[in-house]
Amino acid sequence: MTRVILYELNEVPWQIVDLYVDERPNSVLAGLLARSACLTTCNEDPVALQPWRTWPTVHKSLYVDDHRSFDLGQDPD
């Protein structure tokens, strides 16, 4: 069984991550990145992703109209 940890680092430019890793090569983040794969996803959903929509989209692999999670606090029906 392959285990996957999905870690989302929102809105942090890679140049900041690279700078941190260069300055702290023995850090947990440096070690993690050395053993990890970095994948970029594309979402062509016509509804703009916001934090409360991103996780249902990623976990369900569905666009917003399909998973129907539009706003925080909405009636689940």
Side-chain angles (χ1 to χ4, degrees), residues 40-49 57 61-66:
T40 301
T41 58
C42 295
N43 183 313
E44 297 177 4
D45 199 329
V47 179
L49 283 179
T57 299
S61 296
L62 297 171
Y63 289 126
V64 173
D65 282 341
D66 296 324

Side-chain angles (χ1 to χ4, degrees), residues 18-55:
D18 292 338
L19 177 65
Y20 181 89
V21 168
D22 287 345
E23 291 186 6
R24 294 170 180 85
N26 295 321
S27 67
V28 172
L29 182 59
L32 179 65
L33 290 176
R35 299 183 315 272
S36 302
C38 176
L39 306 172
T40 301
T41 58
C42 295
N43 183 313
E44 297 177 4
D45 199 329
V47 179
L49 283 179
Q50 298 293 330
W52 54 88
R53 295 183 194 129
T54 300
W55 283 113

Side-chain angles (χ1 to χ4, degrees), residues 1-9 28 32-33 35-39 55 58-59:
M1 175 173 75
T2 301
R3 293 183 178 183
V4 175
I5 296 175
L6 178 63
Y7 182 78
E8 180 183 14
L9 191 59
V28 172
L32 179 65
L33 290 176
R35 299 183 315 272
S36 302
C38 176
L39 306 172
W55 283 113
V58 170
H59 287 290

